[in-house]
Amino acid sequence: MLSLIGIAVVVLGFMARLNPLLVVTAAALLTGLAGGMGPVEVVATFGKAFQENRYVSVVWVVLPVIGLLERAGLQERAKTLIGTIRAATAGRLLLLYFVLRQITAALGLTSLGGHAQMVRPLIAPMAEAAAEAHHGPLPEAARQTVRAHAAAADNIALFFGEDIFIAIASILLIKGFLAQNGILVEPLQLSVWAIPTAICALLIHGTQMMLFDRHLARLIAEGRQ
């Protein structure tokens, strides 16, 4: 049970708004020490994990590129483009992104979307521009609501779409957990049974997106009173 102390360190560290990297490192060190590992062994485990998974760090090279594109006016260009399409509304745009995100996630292309590389620089500004084209300047509450729904569309589509892909980590985790409890299933079976759930997520969230424009109109009207 002492090895669970790392969870408490993470919770307290984030509540205190400390540096996330330091908090996670401290939690890992305490977890290792509480689990009976020596300091040298803990550091060696850190080094081994970094060496075996160093390719993961390559993904972070994309973030400076996104930052440079934003500084060069990526968000403004996206807003200008979507503002010229009269049929585009915030709800329709987010529904289209939801469908595309879920399909690509089901094909294993989970890195094509995401908050840092897609939602913040492109999807959220485009949704705001679509809302402004139909309703005029947005009150701050309405603007934040559009941004929240843009982030939610990415989260929900990815969560329910990625399990359809047979070689995703979540499928392997489920298979391993069931195997430990004496339940033997093939990854393909798990992927197939993830399809109805993904369809339900699409129908439920799609309906919410279709009704979002009406809700946004009421929110804007209330904000201008």
Side-chain angles (χ1 to χ4, degrees):
M1 294 298 292
L2 287 177
S3 60
L4 298 178
I5 193 173
I7 299 176
V9 172
V10 170
V11 172
L12 293 176
F14 286 169
M15 288 178 60
R17 298 183 179 275
L18 300 178
N19 188 301
L21 181 60
L22 294 178
V23 171
V24 173
T25 303
L29 287 171
L30 289 176
T31 300
L33 295 175
M37 300 172 65
V40 177
E41 190 178 0
V42 173
V43 175
T45 303
F46 267 116
K48 181 180 178 182
F50 176 79
Q51 182 179 6
E52 293 179 347
N53 300 279
R54 60 186 181 276
Y55 65 89
V56 176
S57 302
V58 176
V59 177
W60 299 106
V61 177
V62 178
L63 297 183
V65 177
I66 297 297
L68 290 174
L69 290 175
E70 286 193 33
R71 187 173 183 179
L74 178 63
Q75 291 190 5
E76 288 73 15
R77 296 297 181 184
K79 287 183 177 180
T80 301
L81 174 63
I82 203 67
T84 60
I85 305 176
R86 299 304 302 174
T89 65
R92 292 172 184 171
L93 177 67
L94 294 181
L95 176 58
L96 176 61
Y97 177 69
F98 183 94
V99 174
L100 294 176
R101 181 67 162 140
Q102 193 172 54
I103 292 175
T104 54
L107 296 175
L109 304 176
T110 57
S111 298
L112 290 183
H115 291 188
Q117 63 269 40
M118 186 64 73
V119 174
R120 183 183 184 278
L122 284 176
I123 302 303
M126 291 172 70
E128 291 177 35
E132 289 175 345
H134 288 271
H135 304 287
L138 300 179
E140 186 60 23
R143 187 176 303 277
Q144 295 300 328
T145 299
V146 172
R147 294 176 180 177
H149 277 276
D154 187 275
N155 281 352
I156 298 171
L158 175 64
F159 185 86
F160 289 101
E162 65 178 359
D163 286 346
I164 299 176
F165 186 61
I166 190 172
I168 205 71
S170 56
I171 289 292
L172 301 179
L173 177 63
I174 295 171
K175 174 178 170 55
F177 177 79
L178 293 177
Q180 289 179 355
N181 291 273
I183 304 174
L184 301 179
V185 294
E186 294 298 325
L188 180 59
Q189 293 177 281
L190 296 174
S191 297
V192 169
W193 281 104
I195 295 176
T197 307
I199 293 175
C200 289
L202 173 61
L203 294 176
I204 294 172
H205 198 73
T207 302
Q208 183 179 7
M209 289 295 94
M210 293 297 292
L211 299 174
F212 177 60
D213 291 318
R214 192 179 306 172
H215 168 71
L216 185 61
R218 290 197 301 267
L219 186 63
I220 293 174
E222 293 173 358
R224 291 174 179 170
Q225 291 179 355

